Amino acid sequence: MSGAEILAAMMFLSVCGALMAGYNVAFTLAGTSLIFAGIGVLTGTFDPVYLLSMPGRIFPLMTREILIAVPLFVFMGVMLEKSRIAEDLLENMGTLFGPMRGGLGISVIFVGALLAASTGIVGATVVTMGLLSLPTMLNRGYAPSLASASIAASGTLGQIIPPSIVLVILADQISNAFQEAQRSYGLETNGVVSVGDLFAGALLPGLILVLFYALYIFFVAVIRPADAPAQDWPEDADVRRLLWTSFRAMLPPIFLIIAVLGSILSGYATPTRGAALGALGAILLACYKIETVTAFGILARRFAFIAAAALLTLVLLDLTGVDLRLGQTERTQTESLALIAGGILALLGGVGALLATFRLGRTGALGDVSRSTLHITAMVFVILIGATIFSLIFRGFGGDEMVAELLEAAPGGKWGAFTIVMVMMFILGFFLDFIEITFVVVPLVAPPLLASGMDPVWLGIVMALNLQTSFLTPPFGFALFYLRGVAPPEVTTTALYRGVLPFIAIQIAVIALVIAVPTLATGLPSSLLN
């Protein structure tokens, strides 16, 4: 190894060590990289010209349209957390499925899947479900290990079930790696990778993961009934009423999921516009769900419902194929009537959105959500800037070429290299967050893997599933930390760690299934493209 390659390897190991020690991610990435760049300049192993291109690397991050979807999806998730849909879902579905063995645990998994598709934020889902359902499960006789692990595992579904912030960030990194593979490795393809491709590719593996989680809880309930006992319905319970209330509780998030995912996957909206639609829907839903006794609150609540119905009707009107563009000089009578109807619907939607926003502002919910969104978005972008500096200096040392040579020399060809990368990401997941792995590791290993002919959508989905395990793998699984912070004393750390092991095994099994059957990840994107 040359002196530059030695410094590149030392820089990578130093960054990983500092991150494991708990130092700030963004400043660790940027600071360590700049220190090693200075050492490289002094030793003559690093060309300082690379530093001149740093502004040109950072500024496009601030203007990249696809990354605007990140704060919008974060806003949608935090706002839905405030709308208390989780409480309604858990209460109704827990009562409905209670008489079935493991029914409460299975309902937690399905509610987690709905919240994952609605919010996409692991911390919010795990904490909310931990506060609401964990005491109930323990009071009804569930084993602490199974109850806590099922909540932690269901909370991580937000990383793989779209719309997901992880998939947005990973799609951006995979897209850049795909372009790098075309430029540096002579990959002959004109294809591109979009967020919609990864959303479509992750949908089926995510649903399979939900099914396997539910089957595992049912299996435990059958072989160990004491760990997941069934509960009788209350004496005055009305099954039809329970079904109706459960259906009503599921309708709002399902409509929002269909609106956001449907608009993106069908091609009617870009991911950024779909995220904006989701943020608007979350505002209307939060306004409708918050109870009120004031006259203005009642008016805003009714208009929120009217606005949601009007916007949904406007979308359906557009799907009929009628030309609603304002710039047309000649229109048929049908198009003119449709345009007038569309204007009225848009006006109702706008008025409802304004009233809902004003009411949420008066209650303080809008301010809390905006601050949380700002905090999370700033964290993501500062880490992205630090990772960009790290990547630039690492490549200045020739580190990208060194990684490519190591992967090419791996036994077993491209599949041996792929196995090494997956194992490395899985091990790093014990100590690092998914954002750190995505920004540091993926840009280094993805270009040579893609240059070997691997499908970028398939590779992105397998990596996303692998990254999802980082939330459950001890000792630093973030879902475990979130849940441990709100769990009652009877749920010990040992029980929590023991309980998540089967769910980690299920995730590994789903990864193996997607590797063995690539169509699970590539089939839906290909169908939508065709």
Side-chain angles (χ1 to χ4, degrees), residues 107 163 199 280 302 349 391 394 418 433 478 484 493 508 529:
S107 67
F199 278 7
L280 176 59
R302 290 177 178 174
S391 177
F394 189 79
F418 171 78
D433 185 23
F478 280 83
R484 193 71 195 91
T493 302
I508 295 174
L529 182 63

Side-chain angles (χ1 to χ4, degrees), residues 53-413:
S53 62
M54 194 179 297
R57 291 290 191 95
I58 294 176
F59 181 73
L61 300 177
M62 305 295 103
T63 58
R64 193 176 299 168
E65 181 183 354
I66 188 59
L67 294 179
I68 299 176
V70 173
L72 291 171
F73 277 131
V74 171
F75 181 90
M76 180 182 78
V78 179
M79 183 61 77
L80 287 175
E81 180 193 354
K82 301 291 184 183
S83 67
R84 306 179 68 86
I85 61 171
E87 289 88 333
D88 293 343
L89 285 170
L90 286 170
E91 181 181 352
N92 290 290
M93 294 190 69
T95 305
L96 183 64
F97 289 102
M100 186 176 73
R101 283 185 180 180
L104 183 57
I106 294 173
S107 67
V108 165
I109 296 297
F110 284 117
V111 170
L114 280 175
L115 292 179
S118 303
T119 65
I121 301 176
V122 170
T125 304
V126 172
V127 171
T128 301
M129 296 181 66
L131 290 171
L132 296 176
S133 59
L134 185 54
T136 303
M137 296 178 76
L138 295 175
N139 291 335
R140 294 186 180 182
Y142 272 70
S145 58
L146 179 64
S148 57
S150 61
I151 292 173
S154 64
T156 65
L157 292 170
Q159 302 307 294
I160 192 63
I161 296 180
S164 162
I165 301 172
V166 174
L167 294 177
V168 174
I169 297 173
L170 189 59
D172 180 66
Q173 296 299 311
I174 290 290
S175 177
N176 293 338
F178 198 40
Q179 295 174 11
E180 180 68 23
Q182 296 173 10
R183 181 173 59 253
S184 301
Y185 297 92
L187 183 63
E188 296 181 1
T189 178
N190 296 322
V192 295
V193 183
S194 67
V195 174
D197 292 332
L198 257 66
F199 278 7
L203 191 58
L204 190 55
L207 295 177
I208 292 174
L209 200 57
V210 173
L211 177 62
F212 283 7
Y213 282 173
L215 288 176
Y216 167 71
I217 293 178
F218 180 75
F219 176 74
V220 171
V222 170
I223 63 172
R224 298 200 304 266
D227 287 355
Q231 301 293 321
D232 295 330
W233 274 324
E235 296 181 358
D236 57 346
D238 185 345
V239 179
R240 291 184 179 179
R241 185 177 180 182
L242 284 174
L243 286 171
W244 172 241
T245 53
S246 300
F247 179 70
R248 285 184 60 187
M250 287 189 294
L251 270 183
I254 288 176
F255 268 127
L256 188 60
I257 294 165
I258 292 175
V260 175
L261 278 184
S263 63
I264 295 173
L265 299 182
S266 64
Y268 279 95
T270 63
T272 302
R273 294 175 182 176
L277 176 63
L280 176 59
I283 289 174
L284 297 175
L285 180 57
C287 178
Y288 181 77
K289 294 290 289 185
I290 295 176
E291 297 294 336
T292 183
V293 293
T294 65
F296 175 75
I298 295 173
L299 176 66
R301 193 168 184 264
R302 290 177 178 174
F303 254 97
F305 179 81
I306 294 172
L311 293 175
L312 180 61
T313 306
L314 183 60
V315 172
L316 295 176
L317 181 63
D318 184 58
L319 292 177
T320 60
V322 179
D323 194 343
L324 298 177
R325 290 177 295 176
L326 297 176
Q328 296 295 325
T329 56
E330 296 182 3
R331 296 188 183 91
T332 63
Q333 185 177 6
T334 301
E335 291 175 340
S336 298
L337 293 175
L339 186 62
I340 295 172
I344 295 173
L345 292 172
L347 179 62
L348 290 174
V351 171
L354 286 174
L355 290 175
T357 303
F358 186 68
R359 184 184 175 221
L360 293 174
R362 291 180 61 180
T363 60
L366 185 61
D368 293 340
V369 172
S370 299
R371 280 188 290 271
S372 298
T373 302
L374 179 62
H375 176 77
I376 297 173
T377 304
M379 177 196 70
V380 171
F381 275 84
V382 171
I383 294 175
L384 181 54
I385 291 172
T388 302
I389 296 173
F390 171 85
S391 177
L392 176 64
I393 295 175
F394 189 79
R395 285 178 176 163
F397 281 119
D400 55 337
E401 297 175 0
M402 180 181 65
V403 171
E405 291 172 0
L406 289 174
L407 292 178
E408 289 175 2

Side-chain angles (χ1 to χ4, degrees), residues 398-451:
D400 55 337
E401 297 175 0
M402 180 181 65
V403 171
E405 291 172 0
L406 289 174
L407 292 178
E408 289 175 2
K414 70 175 184 179
W415 293 111
F418 171 78
T419 303
I420 291 173
V421 169
M422 289 296 108
V423 172
M424 179 181 68
M425 292 178 66
F426 180 76
I427 294 175
L428 288 176
F430 281 70
F431 310 100
L432 303 180
D433 185 23
F434 77 93
I435 294 181
E436 300 159 12
I437 300 174
T438 302
F439 285 150
V440 175
V441 178
V442 173
L444 301 180
V445 301
L449 290 178
L450 294 173

